[in-house]
Structure formats: structure tokens, C-alpha cells
Amino acid sequence: MTNPVRLIKVRESIQADNDQRAQVLKSELKAVKTLMINLMSSPGAGKTSLLLQTTGRLKDEHRMAVIEADIDSSVDAERLAASGVEAIQLQTDGFCHLDVMMVTQALDTMDPRAFDIIFLENVGNLVCPAEFATGAALDVMILSVPEGDDKPLKYPLMFSKCEALIVNKIDYLDTPLTDFDLELLEERVRKLNKEIRIFPLSCRTGEGMEAWTGWLAEKTAEHNG
Amino acid sequence: MTNPVRLIKVRESIQADNDQRAQVLKSELKAVKTLMINLMSSPGAGKTSLLLQTTGRLKDEHRMAVIEADIDSSVDAERLAASGVEAIQLQTDGFCHLDVMMVTQALDTMDPRAFDIIFLENVGNLVCPAEFATGAALDVMILSVPEGDDKPLKYPLMFSKCEALIVNKIDYLDTPLTDFDLELLEERVRKLNKEIRIFPLSCRTGEGMEAWTGWLAEKTAEHNG
């Protein structure tokens, strides 16, 4: 059984008070025991694959929904809905990030209390989404091995603001295709963000998924408990 | 012998007339027989690798310079300068794209007439750079195989506005790591942009580089001749 995808065309927040709105939304979601997670990455790093794998593994113990941001399509939301997850598609019509106004427009179409976890799949972009609060309690980013271990040098704000970094596509590490150095990456990331949790994994093979979903389950209990 | 890297911290254009300025700059560069190429992609798709490979292959017949945009580092410009290419680093300080003002600040520090080709390495981002003209005569984008063949569905403007699409990391196609379908990609791209030239290649192995550099040499002759 697949859920229908709700489609919402959003307008960008013009308020200068996005940060303040984000604090309010964060408190409201805390009060109703719903953990909202803002998931960010470059295009093609594996946001939708991670969400498919994660919701598949956590669905017996958690009620989950996904709010998908896409500039001009709904392919990701359809993949998620086909897997049985509640999925809402936000069409950002060219915007390069999500803000609180956009997220609120999606939340207004659902009952957040009906979910333990709501994932925001932000626009695929390592720059702009790092600058705009969404109201999520946790910011999580994905870096995929083919992108290279130098990305913390180039997109420092993104690495600085996240509670967790998922290093996806670690199955590429065993090939001659890449010279990605996981230790060097960690060293570069720690210079920006000492506390960040790092989860190397492969959405394709499932390797490393349990450390990530275990942490997520803990964080959910902590937030909603 | 390595060239020193010049470092310029740019301010964003606040003019609404970016498009008009772009036309003026384009004409000026045409008049002095300098082809400027705006190279765009996601983070880690291979912009700097492509520029290293391309300038290495064309350096006997062409005088080339690279203007590098990076939010907060100069690692790419240093790699290029170490290879003997004239490299100018623009630090965009968080901006998510290049515009004409920023490019002009770089051009003001050099003599464009001294170069047959000037490459702009735009910020790694498939969204914002597509929206801002730079004054370049050609827009070229890179999509790398690990990003997936669905990207034209998600970032249509970028695919619509480019004269050439480089599909990098085709050495990944021969592995079980990806289900990337080159034919399907081409079909999706052609729906957005019938005329676009598509160059599948690998900067790592060199496969496919000649078709790209051949086209580039032709375009340079056409523009500067």
C-alpha cells in the first residue's frame, strides 16, 4: 500500500526573523514530542537512499514522516511514499534552501503529533541550507566518498553546524576509483566541529547503518521522552 | 615553476542589472579575443580535476587562466598554480554563486588580452550559479556518475542553460557501485536542452578527454578567430 504524495508549492520567507521563528517551531515540536531532523547534502550524496534505509529499519518502533524539498520534481517523495512512509513534497520553485516558513507550510498540512520523527530532506546544496534555520532540533549532513575528503575546507559552515555527519558510499573506499582518506576527513571535520558524531556507512550495502539508526533512536528517546 | 595565487575577497553584486552587465562584459571579452567559460557543478564532481587535465592538454596551443571561486579556501587555486596555470582565487565568503561584479573584480587584476581562454570555476552548487550570468561566452556543467542519472529532473535550470555537459567519473560505470544509466541521462537532458553537447569522460583515466578538448579548441577558434 502506498501513501499519496501531497504536493505544496512554497514561497520563500521574506521575514528577517527566520531564526526567531525557528526557535518557536523547535519549542512547539519539543512540546508535542516530535523530533524534526534537517538532512542536508550535495546533490546525489544519498539523502533519499538514507531516508529509505533509515525509515525501513526504524518503522516498527517509530512513526515517521518525510518532508521533501525539490526544486521541480516529486520523484524522491514518490520513492518514499512507495515504501510506505508518509511523504510530503515541497516544490521550492528554484529556491536553494528551506526556511521556517516553507517548513511550516508543510507542517500545516499534517498533524506533527502523529509522528515521532519528521525528516526534512533539504535542497541538495552544501552552501545555502547551512545558512537558514528550519526549526529542526537536529541538523545532519551527508558527505559521500566520491565527493572527496577536502569538502570541509570548502564548505566549512555546513560541517560546523551539524550534530552528525554521515559519510555515505564507503563501499567506494575499496576501489582504485578514489583516494578518499577517512582519517584525514575526520581530522578536517574535527577542526571545525569537535563534538560532531561521524557515521561512515553505505546505503547500498547496509554497512554501518546500525550505528546511525542506534544513535537516532537514542536521540529520539532523549528528545521525545 | 609555480605561479603565485592572487587572492581576492569579493562582494556580491547588489545591482538588479547583472544580466545587462554580463552582456557588456561578454562583448568586451569577444573584442579582445578572450573566451571565458563558466564551469559549474555539484561539490566534488571534478571541476578542478577537469581544469588540471584540460589546461595540461591545451597549454601548448593556448594561453589560459583560471578564476577560482571558493567560499573559504584556496586549495584549488594552489593545485592549479602548482601545475603552472595562472590562477586567481576569489573568496566568496559564503556566497553561493558568482556574478558579474565578482568576476570583474578578478579580471581587473589581470590583463584578459593575455589569455585565449579564461575558465571560471564557479561555487560547487547546482542551484544558484545557474541563475546568475557571469559574462562568460560559454556555460559548461559537470555531472559525475556517482551523483546519479536523475539530476536533470531535480536541477533543470542548470541543464537547460549550458552549452556542454561533461559526464565525469565514467570509470565508475564499470563497477557494481552505481546503476547510473548514461542513455537515460541523455534522454532526460535532451528533454530540457536539445542542443547541448555531452562529453562522457574520466579525469582520472583520461578516457573521453579528447572529444572535450577538441570541442573546446574549436569553440576557442570560433570565438577568438
Side-chain angles (χ1 to χ4, degrees):
Chain A
M1 198 189 72
T2 61
N3 295 311
V5 171
R6 263 168 293 162
L7 178 68
I8 304 162
K9 301 200 177 199
V10 294
R11 283 192 299 274
E12 189 172 26
S13 167
I14 48 165
Q15 285 77 6
D17 58 359
N18 190 60
D19 281 345
Q20 201 186 324
R21 280 167 181 267
Q23 285 307 325
V24 172
L25 177 56
K26 209 167 153 177
S27 304
E28 286 169 359
L29 290 173
K30 174 81 182 159
V32 298
K33 304 189 175 196
T34 301
L35 175 65
M36 189 160 76
I37 297 172
N38 176 24
L39 183 61
M40 298 172 283
S41 81
S42 294
K47 291 184 295 301
T48 309
S49 298
L50 183 82
L51 290 177
L52 284 166
Q53 287 286 332
T54 303
T55 53
R57 281 156 200 263
L58 293 180
K59 70 183 172 195
D60 292 338
E61 296 87 32
H62 300 82
R63 301 164 302 160
M64 291 171 287
V66 175
I67 298 172
E68 285 278 337
D70 249 317
I71 289 168
D72 194 33
S73 81
S74 57
V75 281
D76 290 345
E78 283 157 18
R79 277 176 72 195
L80 280 153
S83 81
V85 177
E86 181 84 14
I88 294 171
Q89 179 73 49
L90 287 175
Q91 281 192 359
T92 60
D93 193 26
F95 295 131
C96 48
H97 63 272
L98 284 179
D99 66 16
V100 183
M101 273 281 271
M102 300 180 198
V103 172
T104 303
Q105 286 174 69
L107 293 174
D108 283 350
T109 71
M110 61 199 281
D111 180 3
R113 288 169 301 185
F115 302 100
D116 303 308
I117 307 175
I118 296 175
F119 294 99
L120 294 179
E121 185 178 328
N122 215 311
V123 179
N125 180 344
L126 284 188
V127 190
C128 318
E131 295 167 18
F132 290 86
T134 57
L138 286 178
D139 289 309
V140 174
M141 72 170 290
I142 308 178
L143 177 75
S144 62
V145 166
E147 292 172 72
D149 52 33
D150 60 344
K151 293 300 161 285
L153 306 176
K154 299 185 179 183
Y155 306 93
L157 182 62
M158 180 62 80
F159 288 85
S160 303
K161 73 168 281 184
C162 287
E163 279 82 16
L165 162 64
I166 286 159
V167 183
N168 189 24
K169 307 191 191 178
I170 56 166
D171 43 337
Y172 286 68
L173 290 173
D174 306 325
T175 73
L177 299 167
T178 174
D179 55 3
F180 191 100
D181 183 334
L182 198 52
E183 275 181 42
L184 182 58
L185 174 81
E186 294 202 13
E187 194 181 295
R188 286 168 170 167
V189 173
R190 295 271 173 233
K191 274 187 194 156
L192 298 166
N193 186 338
K194 264 191 201 149
E195 305 298 325
I196 196 168
R197 290 294 303 264
I198 301 178
F199 299 102
L201 56 81
S202 164
C203 291
R204 194 180 68 86
T205 66
E207 189 187 346
M209 280 299 298
E210 269 159 42
W212 153 245
T213 53
W215 180 80
L216 199 55
E218 260 175 48
K219 284 285 167 187
T220 308
E222 218 174 283
H223 183 273
N224 300 351
Chain B
M1 201 189 70
T2 61
N3 295 311
V5 172
R6 263 168 293 160
L7 178 69
I8 304 162
K9 302 202 176 199
V10 294
R11 284 192 299 275
E12 191 172 24
S13 168
I14 48 165
Q15 287 75 7
D17 59 358
N18 190 59
D19 281 346
Q20 202 185 325
R21 280 168 181 267
Q23 285 305 325
V24 172
L25 177 56
K26 210 167 154 178
S27 304
E28 287 170 357
L29 291 173
K30 174 80 181 160
V32 299
K33 304 189 176 197
T34 300
L35 174 66
M36 190 161 76
I37 297 172
N38 176 24
L39 183 61
M40 299 172 284
S41 82
S42 295
K47 291 184 294 304
T48 309
S49 298
L50 183 82
L51 290 177
L52 284 166
Q53 287 287 332
T54 303
T55 53
R57 281 156 200 262
L58 293 179
K59 70 182 171 196
D60 292 338
E61 295 87 32
H62 299 82
R63 300 165 303 159
M64 292 171 288
V66 175
I67 298 172
E68 286 278 336
D70 250 318
I71 289 168
D72 194 33
S73 81
S74 57
V75 282
D76 290 345
E78 282 158 18
R79 277 175 73 197
L80 280 154
S83 81
V85 176
E86 180 84 15
I88 295 171
Q89 180 72 49
L90 286 176
Q91 280 192 358
T92 60
D93 193 28
F95 296 131
C96 47
H97 63 273
L98 284 179
D99 66 16
V100 183
M101 274 282 270
M102 299 180 198
V103 173
T104 303
Q105 287 174 69
L107 294 174
D108 283 350
T109 71
M110 62 199 282
D111 180 3
R113 287 169 301 183
F115 301 99
D116 304 308
I117 308 175
I118 296 175
F119 294 99
L120 293 179
E121 185 177 327
N122 215 313
V123 179
N125 181 342
L126 284 188
V127 189
C128 318
E131 295 168 18
F132 290 85
T134 58
L138 286 178
D139 289 310
V140 174
M141 71 170 290
I142 308 177
L143 177 75
S144 63
V145 166
E147 292 171 71
D149 52 31
D150 60 344
K151 293 300 161 288
L153 306 174
K154 299 185 177 180
Y155 306 92
L157 182 62
M158 180 61 81
F159 287 85
S160 303
K161 73 167 281 184
C162 287
E163 278 82 18
L165 162 64
I166 286 159
V167 183
N168 189 22
K169 307 191 192 178
I170 55 165
D171 43 336
Y172 287 67
L173 290 173
D174 306 324
T175 73
L177 299 167
T178 174
D179 55 3
F180 192 98
D181 183 333
L182 198 52
E183 275 181 41
L184 181 59
L185 173 80
E186 294 203 12
E187 194 182 295
R188 287 167 169 168
V189 173
R190 295 271 173 232
K191 275 188 194 154
L192 297 166
N193 186 339
K194 264 191 201 150
E195 305 297 323
I196 196 168
R197 291 293 304 264
I198 302 179
F199 299 102
L201 56 80
S202 163
C203 290
R204 195 180 67 87
T205 67
E207 190 188 346
M209 280 298 297
E210 269 159 43
W212 153 246
T213 52
W215 180 80
L216 199 54
E218 260 175 49
K219 285 285 168 188
T220 308
E222 218 174 282
H223 183 272
N224 300 353

